[in-house]
Amino acid sequence: MTALLSLAGLRYLRRHPAQGLLATLGIALGVGVVVAIDLAVGSADRAFQLSAAMVSGRASHQIVGGPNGLDETLFPRLRIAAGVRASAPLVEGFGRLPRFGDTTVRLLGIDPLSDTAVRSIGTGAAAMDTLRRLLTVPNGVLISARTAEHLHLKTGDTLRVLVKGRVQTLTVTTVTAPTRKIAARGLDEMLVMDIATAQALLDMQGRLSRIDVRLPDGAAGKAARQRIRRLLPPGAALLPASAMTANLAQMTRSFQFNLHAMSLLGLVVGMFLIYNAMSFSVVQRRPLWATLRALGVTRGGIFGVVLKEAALLGAAGIVLGIALGYVLGLGLVHVVLRTINDLYFTVAMSEPPVPSLVWVKGALLGGVASVSAAALPAWNAASLPVTRVLRRAAIETQTRRRLPRLALLGIVLLGAGASWLTAAGGDLAQAFAAIFMAVAGYALIIPLATRELMLLLHPAMSAIGLMGRMATRGVIVSLSRTGVAVAALTVVISVSLGMAIMIDSFRHTFSAWLNQTLQADFYVSAAGPSGTPLAPAAVNAIKSQPEVAAVSTGKRWYLDGPRAITEVFVLDPAPASKKGFRFKYGEPETAWQAFLHRNALLISESYATRHALKVGDTLVLRTERGEQRFPVAGVYYDYGSDQGVVAMSRGTYEHWWNDAGISSLGVYLKPGVDADAAAKKLRLAAGGKEMLSIRANRAVHDAALAVFDRTFAVTRVLQLLALLVAAAGIVGALAALQLERGRELGVLRSLGMTQLQLWGLVSGESLLMGLAAGLFALPLGLGLAYVLINVIQARAFGWTLQMSVAPAQPVQTMLLALAAAGAAGIYPAWRMARQSPLAVLREE
């Protein structure tokens, strides 16, 4: 009997391919979005891990210094006095390739004679030849085969690289393709050279970026660590290599988590399509269920058949979704990696990997979503008595009876979600789970709200005429279908509205912060990667220009620690620079006095949140004189880094780190000076010293906003995909109504209703559903925006955003809902209008 029931289910799916296709499409889009985000994020992680593995090699620990690095004499003392033979020095920096779209490349200087202790570029005679060339060819570099192909280079070619504001010419000595493909990817967009060459290019003569060491486990390793620490100067530290990699990975964790949470929305909306398709198939086959029940088929048998059909549709959707996800991943990986490059650190582009875990995750989520969405229709098919299964009205009667209970359950879930959100603390996973619970509760209220709204609109629609009255009644009498479609569209539209308000509020806050922060007329930096120091001669040349009223100097660097990386901003402010800081905590004048004269720090809001610091606390930093405690004088608003920034005065920095390096200037012109003429003169004055980037205040502002817009490109793609899934749900609901109401529509056509009138009726029902979805989406969207701004952003990134709702946004929301529903209703309306009334009545 089970086999016969399964065959009957397969026969039904073959006879109704369009219905199965809609359900399959819903799951495919949902699974595709999840897989695409997993692939894009996984590709970014993989590219970072491969690059880190290539740079760190087999090192177990790293010896790091401050902004000046390490004295190179530490390396021989480490090998001789401490007996650490498995060690290798490293000089690291970044350059840009002007001829290749300003691509950023990593410069890696190694000591070929000792580097094999921790890294392996090759094996055998080929490796020895590679190392020999690095030692003997002036400015020689090794590149990977993939990089060579990308840059159209071969052995012997020259490559021009912008480093430290100067264009340097390098020679490709070796194009290596390690035997393992995974190692080859680790060399992507990396130029490996002899350590002396790197020191000359990066102006680090006598200095090292770090020393990699490979220590044994157990007591021997502990003894080696003690010997190393006794040799280290005060500004140096021995850190586990894994901690350094983990600190960098931690930077992107909140960003990636938000993407994963958004991707699940598409899958949730896809579940509405499965529910729609399966509930319609149950209704359409009500005579069959009644006959089977009369012949002795158990409720469990019918329940199993419906679930098997859902699983079959889900399996098809999973296969299609995985393929679709891979295609989407190819596009999204570039967007995700570009965002990471903009906001966090430089990582080479990479194609999405093909990890089996991603496929398994997509398949499991798709399978669970399909079966879960079909559970209620299957239960309806199995639980109704035989006499009621034969009546179509029984389904709607049962639905109307359930509406108050569903709405009550929705209110409970909504309240529970809000309470959980309040109690979740800083846990992002719990916060998103609470949001999903609240949204699910709201969705359960929508069918009842839809009925009440249609009853409220019925008098006004009746005034339009017969078609208006019939349209409202049509939505009400088919709530089992229309209610679900309205709920699906409401959820997507509300999330779209919430995200739009959050992004616009963030952009407004960010733009206002930029306007306050960017006080100077011009900002000067060295041409090349961010953070490149300016030549002292260029700084002095700019300061001495008669058009210049004042100059602020800045330097950003990163202090490595065992648990986190601290971004330090060294500032020597001009008088007007202080206006660029808006304090959240701390009295401004007192904070500035402590900052300039008492070794105090100013920390950004996000840094204070992440490290639980407040005004009056002390922050321990590793200096070249050992660990020192610095008081916190103020907490200021900053939206340039979600990891947070520690601002330090130039005097404090030079005292504890003995470094006079400057990487940026803020130039303030005297009143009445022509800005364009002054920029040209500044460039000429410093042009002989090095290549400079001189950008006006507005140019810096616009460039920062361009980075902001790129950051949210992925979010907008996810919103669009979810909206497509919801529109497909409207199509499915109306297509189902077409078949269910075939006799009714046939009778209406026989009584004289024209094709145009029938088109108007179906289109009217569709637009009413869109109107309901738009109205219901407004409160939910505003609530989601509030939560995203004041809870999610605050917990994920530590930012305070000013919520800003443009008057046009509610109007746009309504238009979007009406447009989505109206577009979704075009095909069903066309089908119904073209249907022959005689054919329908004959079938009935």
Side-chain angles (χ1 to χ4, degrees):
M1 182 63 73
T2 302
L4 288 175
L5 288 174
S6 300
L7 288 174
L10 289 174
R11 184 170 178 268
Y12 172 80
L13 293 177
R14 285 198 303 269
R15 291 181 59 188
H16 301 84
Q19 184 179 330
L21 180 62
L22 281 174
T24 301
L25 181 62
I27 288 298
L29 286 173
V31 171
V33 172
V34 172
V35 169
I37 290 297
D38 275 357
L39 288 176
V41 171
S43 180
D45 281 344
R46 193 60 175 157
F48 165 69
Q49 295 291 342
L50 291 173
S51 179
M54 181 62 213
V55 175
S56 299
R58 301 185 301 277
S60 62
H61 291 74
Q62 296 171 349
I63 301 174
V64 298
N68 295 314
L70 301 165
D71 191 316
E72 66 180 7
T73 59
L74 177 62
F75 176 64
R77 290 191 288 118
L78 179 71
R79 292 176 69 93
I80 297 171
V84 181
R85 308 297 295 177
S87 56
L90 193 75
V91 171
E92 188 177 13
F94 292 90
R96 285 185 180 171
L97 306 179
R99 288 181 53 198
F100 300 95
D102 257 1
T103 299
T104 299
V105 290
R106 175 178 285 186
L107 309 177
L108 196 67
I110 63 172
D111 176 14
L113 300 178
S114 60
D115 201 68
T116 54
V118 294
R119 271 173 291 274
S120 177
I121 296 176
T123 57
M128 295 303 298
D129 184 58
T130 295
L131 298 178
R132 178 186 60 78
R133 293 182 186 182
L134 290 181
L135 286 169
T136 58
V137 177
N139 284 359
V141 296
L142 174 151
I143 63 176
S144 72
R146 286 161 55 92
T147 301
E149 180 181 0
H150 175 63
L151 302 179
H152 308 291
L153 295 173
K154 61 181 183 301
T155 301
D157 287 349
T158 58
L159 180 64
R160 293 169 65 83
V161 184
L162 182 61
V163 186
K164 306 283 285 188
R166 301 182 298 273
V167 175
Q168 306 285 354
T169 301
L170 307 178
T171 302
V172 179
T173 62
T174 306
V175 176
T176 183
T179 54
R180 292 187 305 153
K181 187 177 180 181
I182 188 172
R185 292 179 182 172
L187 282 170
D188 285 351
E189 296 184 22
M190 187 181 296
L191 307 182
V192 181
M193 61 195 71
D194 176 56
I195 196 166
T197 301
Q199 287 175 321
L201 290 177
L202 297 167
D203 286 341
M204 290 185 63
Q205 288 86 350
R207 311 296 297 178
L208 304 174
S209 298
R210 71 169 191 257
I211 300 174
D212 292 330
V213 296
R214 182 161 54 91
L215 302 178
D217 298 327
K222 182 178 180 180
R225 291 194 294 272
Q226 292 175 346
R227 294 196 303 271
I228 291 171
R229 289 193 174 99
R230 285 196 292 266
L231 284 177
L232 296 182
L238 177 67
L239 303 176
S242 58
M244 302 293 290
T245 303
N247 287 342
L248 287 173
Q250 174 66 31
M251 286 184 171
T252 64
R253 192 159 297 164
S254 295
F255 167 70
Q256 294 177 0
F257 190 88
N258 284 345
L259 290 183
H260 285 303
M262 276 296 295
S263 71
L264 289 176
L265 173 65
L267 189 62
V268 171
V269 177
M271 292 174 66
F272 284 101
L273 269 72
I274 286 286
Y275 172 84
N276 242 347
M278 299 314 300
S279 61
F280 174 61
S281 72
V282 167
V283 172
Q284 194 174 29
R285 288 179 287 175
R286 56 189 182 273
L288 175 62
W289 303 136
T291 303
L292 292 174
R293 289 291 309 283
L295 292 174
V297 177
T298 64
R299 291 181 175 182
I302 293 177
F303 185 83
V305 168
V306 178
L307 287 188
K308 285 179 183 178
E309 291 176 12
L312 184 61
L313 294 175
I318 289 167
V319 173
L320 182 60
I322 288 175
L324 177 64
Y326 187 79
V327 175
L328 288 174
L330 290 174
L332 288 179
V333 65
H334 295 283
V335 180
V336 171
L337 285 173
R338 185 172 60 183
T339 300
I340 291 174
N341 287 339
D342 285 338
L343 299 181
Y344 302 104
F345 45 79
T346 301
V347 63
M349 291 292 181
S350 175
E351 76 279 1
V354 191
S356 58
L357 186 60
V358 172
W359 310 148
V360 172
K361 176 183 175 182
L364 286 176
L365 287 175
V368 171
S370 301
V371 175
S372 300
L376 183 57
W379 175 255
N380 286 337
S383 60
L384 284 176
V386 174
T387 56
R388 293 182 59 198
V389 172
L390 288 173
R391 293 187 289 114
R392 166 68 184 97
I395 300 297
E396 294 303 330
T397 300
Q398 187 180 49
T399 298
R400 286 194 293 272
R401 190 166 54 249
R402 286 176 175 172
L403 289 182
R405 284 178 289 173
L406 284 176
L408 180 60
L409 176 60
I411 293 172
V412 171
L413 287 177
L414 185 60
S419 301
W420 189 8
L421 188 65
T422 304
D427 192 308
L428 272 182
Q430 289 192 47
F432 274 112
I435 290 174
F436 273 102
M437 177 182 288
V439 170
Y442 192 89
L444 291 177
I445 302 172
I446 288 174
L448 178 61
T450 301
R451 186 189 72 180
E452 297 304 314
L453 178 63
M454 292 302 110
L455 291 174
L456 186 64
L457 292 175
H458 189 68
M461 294 297 294
S462 298
I464 297 175
L466 179 62
M467 293 300 103
R469 185 161 59 252
M470 291 181 66
T472 53
R473 295 298 300 171
V475 174
I476 293 174
V477 299
S478 300
L479 271 178
S480 65
R481 187 135 350 269
T482 57
V484 173
V486 171
L489 189 58
T490 298
V491 169
V492 174
I493 295 294
S494 64
V495 171
S496 180
L497 174 62
M499 291 298 299
I501 292 175
M502 186 274 289
I503 293 173
D504 287 350
S505 299
F506 196 171
R507 199 178 195 278
H508 177 78
T509 304
F510 184 67
S511 180
W513 171 74
L514 285 174
N515 289 332
Q516 180 171 11
T517 302
L518 301 174
Q519 294 289 322
D521 295 292
F522 291 101
Y523 291 89
V524 181
S525 60
S530 176
T532 300
L534 289 163
V539 174
N540 293 331
I542 291 173
K543 286 183 175 180
S544 64
Q545 296 305 303
E547 294 84 0
V548 175
V551 172
S552 64
T553 68
K555 175 185 175 69
R556 290 186 184 270
W557 60 283
Y558 296 88
L559 181 63
D560 298 316
R563 290 181 298 275
I565 297 174
T566 300
E567 180 180 351
V568 181
F569 176 47
V570 180
L571 175 67
D572 183 10
S577 301
K578 298 177 183 178
K579 298 177 183 178
F581 285 76
R582 186 165 67 94
F583 286 88
K584 183 176 184 179
Y585 301 113
E587 199 281 319
E589 189 59 36
T590 303
W592 279 115
Q593 288 298 319
F595 176 80
L596 293 172
H597 305 295
R598 293 196 292 275
N599 281 350
L601 306 176
L602 304 178
I603 61 175
S604 70
E605 177 191 23
S606 53
Y607 191 88
T609 301
R610 287 183 181 277
H611 299 276
L613 292 172
K614 60 183 184 298
V615 175
D617 290 347
T618 58
L619 178 62
V620 179
L621 298 177
R622 190 182 71 251
T623 75
E624 292 190 355
R625 302 185 185 184
E627 288 190 344
Q628 299 294 331
R629 292 182 174 274
F630 297 90
V632 175
V635 177
Y636 65 95
Y637 292 101
D638 177 272
Y639 302 94
S641 168
D642 64 343
Q643 300 301 304
V645 181
V646 173
M648 178 182 295
S649 72
R650 168 63 58 176
T652 300
Y653 174 70
E654 291 186 359
H655 174 75
W656 293 106
W657 279 272
N658 192 31
D659 174 34
I662 295 171
S663 59
S664 64
L665 298 175
V667 179
Y668 298 80
L669 300 177
K670 292 179 179 178
V673 174
D674 181 79
D676 293 336
K680 294 178 181 177
K681 190 170 182 182
L682 291 177
R683 196 178 301 278
L684 288 173
K689 282 72 180 176
E690 64 179 323
M691 294 176 62
L692 297 179
S693 170
I694 301 178
R695 295 192 293 175
N697 181 303
R698 177 50 53 182
V700 176
H701 180 278
D702 293 344
L705 285 181
V707 172
F708 178 92
D709 292 335
R710 288 200 300 269
T711 301
F712 286 98
V714 182
T715 302
R716 297 190 189 279
V717 172
L718 294 180
Q719 286 178 266
L720 177 60
L721 290 172
L723 186 60
L724 289 175
V725 177
I730 297 290
V731 173
L734 293 176
L737 286 175
Q738 171 197 349
L739 294 175
E740 290 178 358
R741 298 165 60 192
R743 180 179 177 84
E744 173 193 342
L745 298 174
V747 170
L748 291 174
R749 288 294 311 281
S750 300
L751 293 175
M753 180 179 282
T754 66
Q755 287 188 344
L756 183 61
Q757 288 174 325
L758 186 57
W759 183 293
L761 174 62
V762 178
S763 299
E765 291 176 356
S766 177
L767 290 174
L768 283 172
M769 292 165 66
L771 175 65
L775 290 174
F776 299 149
L778 289 177
L780 180 58
L782 291 171
L784 285 174
Y786 180 85
V787 172
L788 290 171
I789 291 170
N790 294 289
V791 179
I792 299 301
Q793 289 291 334
R795 294 177 184 177
F797 305 113
W799 288 322
T800 296
L801 305 181
Q802 301 301 316
M803 186 168 174
S804 174
V805 183
Q809 281 178 323
V811 177
Q812 291 172 351
T813 298
M814 292 301 304
L815 292 176
L816 179 62
L818 290 171
I826 291 175
Y827 176 72
W830 177 78
R831 284 289 305 273
M832 290 187 192
R834 286 176 55 88
Q835 202 166 28
S836 169
L838 293 177
V840 173
L841 294 176
R842 187 181 302 117
E843 288 178 7
E844 289 289 334

